[in-house]
Amino acid sequence: MKHFSVLGHPIAHSLSPRIHAAFGRQTGIELKYDAIDATAEEFFDTLQAFADAGGVGANITLPLKQSAFALSSSVTDRARRAGAVNTLARTGDGWHGDNTDGEGLVRDLTGRHGLDLRGRRTLLIGAGGAARGVAPALLDAGIGDLYVVNRTSERADALVDAMGQPGRVHSRYLHDLRTLGDFDLIINATSAGRGASLPDLPLSLFSPRPAVVDLSYGEAAIPFLAWARANDVRDVVDGLGMLVEQAAESFALWHGVRPQTDAIYAELRAKDVVLATAD
Ligand code: ATR
């Protein structure tokens, strides 16, 4: 039986083992998928031990995605543009790195939530691993101009440079948000919600019918999305669908078949996540 794992820190509450087990049952593919706790310091040795024990594929989550990119012996184009890897596949004595986060987000927004992303003037708040993972796919999906703001402005500059599309992708200061006009798509890619906090954002950001997205799910998504709802935003989406879709993309890379995602999404939405989405 092929052995897979998700590595990160903390990892105890990861939903990935449950999602991949459901995909395996659905497709009739036998697999073992568990969660391994690894800090940044432990990551390299832990991954090597996993490979030595027969591990053939891994998902990589916080705070290891940039380290996973650095250790990959080859990467896909989308992983290279993101500078971050969330999916590893064993190749000989190395790892092939991919990043399925952005594709997962776009599939969730367009497929599950029926949002047309084309031409949307987009604000991306945050410039860490999560933001870098989704920016390339959003651009490929045809959004309009992309504005990136971050508490540490150098990281926003670095993200914008990595996209290589000057004139379309812009870095701005967080404290200049009031001067940027309104946006059709606003994405919170900061980890601020994990500390139950919220970046200070003006209401002038909302276009007449914006979509507001938080890449996290569960309690971490509540402050930002509750703020949007309280201000009458109708299209409010958390990161649960993205989580399921990025898992399906990883599954397809490893097993050559893309599983159906609706059943496991509904199951997780019903059981684990406080905040339902509004379509
Ligand atoms: P992830 O992989 O989740 O993106 P990360 O790479 O550590 O994790 O990035 C966290 C992001 O959240 C960064 O954009 C960070 O801003 P800095 O680059 O300035 O650190 C942002 N962030 C975290 N806490 C925040 C807060 N309280 N207010 C605003 N931004 C915050």
Side-chain angles (χ1 to χ4, degrees):
M1 196 187 301
K2 286 187 178 174
H3 185 190
F4 300 86
S5 194
V6 57
L7 283 80
H9 181 77
I11 204 67
H13 299 293
S14 171
L15 296 174
S16 292
R18 192 161 147 190
I19 295 171
H20 280 271
F23 289 162
R25 281 194 300 276
Q26 179 204 117
T27 55
I29 295 171
E30 279 196 41
L31 59 94
K32 176 182 169 193
Y33 188 114
D34 51 23
I36 302 176
D37 198 289
T39 63
E41 294 70 38
E42 297 162 343
F43 178 44
F44 190 85
D45 289 344
T46 305
L47 186 66
Q48 189 59 48
F50 170 68
D52 291 344
V56 293
N59 282 126
I60 306 299
T61 187
L62 272 172
L64 308 173
K65 291 182 187 181
Q66 274 136 325
S67 304
F69 174 79
L71 67 73
S72 296
S73 40
S74 61
V75 292
T76 57
D77 183 58
R78 58 190 181 183
R80 184 188 54 72
R81 288 163 73 202
V85 155
N86 80 331
T87 308
L88 290 170
R90 193 77 179 149
T91 53
D93 56 2
W95 294 100
H96 179 63
D98 195 0
N99 193 319
T100 64
D101 283 335
E103 176 71 14
L105 175 65
V106 168
R107 278 194 181 247
D108 183 54
L109 295 180
T110 59
R112 180 167 293 112
H113 297 285
L115 296 172
D116 187 350
L117 300 182
R118 288 169 299 175
R120 285 188 187 244
R121 191 168 190 264
T122 298
L123 176 67
L124 182 60
I125 307 166
R132 291 190 70 127
V134 300
L138 290 168
L139 291 164
D140 291 350
I143 61 165
D145 278 15
L146 175 65
Y147 287 80
V148 183
V149 294
N150 194 47
R151 189 174 58 179
T152 310
S153 59
E154 291 79 10
R155 290 182 93 187
D157 294 343
L159 191 162
V160 168
D161 287 348
M163 294 307 112
Q165 298 190 39
R168 184 176 178 212
V169 188
H170 318 271
S171 171
R172 292 288 185 270
Y173 290 114
L174 202 49
H175 55 74
D176 283 344
L177 275 179
R178 279 172 181 76
T179 67
L180 294 187
D182 62 22
F183 292 91
D184 311 306
L185 177 62
I186 302 172
I187 299 173
N188 181 24
T190 73
S191 52
R194 283 178 228 140
S197 71
L198 179 67
D200 177 29
L201 304 169
L203 297 180
S204 59
L205 293 179
F206 295 145
S207 72
R209 177 125 194 231
V212 171
V213 179
D214 197 306
L215 298 187
S216 52
Y217 57 89
E219 301 220 332
I222 289 177
F224 186 69
L225 298 184
W227 167 78
R229 283 205 169 137
N231 290 288
D232 298 326
V233 176
R234 285 176 51 192
D235 292 318
V236 172
V237 180
D238 73 2
L240 186 67
M242 169 182 164
L243 177 79
V244 172
E245 297 303 324
Q246 65 79 28
E249 291 294 308
S250 297
F251 192 94
L253 283 168
W254 292 327
H255 304 290
V257 47
R258 195 180 198 283
Q260 300 289 321
T261 54
D262 286 349
I264 185 70
Y265 173 79
E267 185 184 317
L268 294 174
R269 174 67 69 198
K271 283 189 188 152
D272 292 322
V273 181
V274 195
L275 198 76
T277 58
D279 292 315

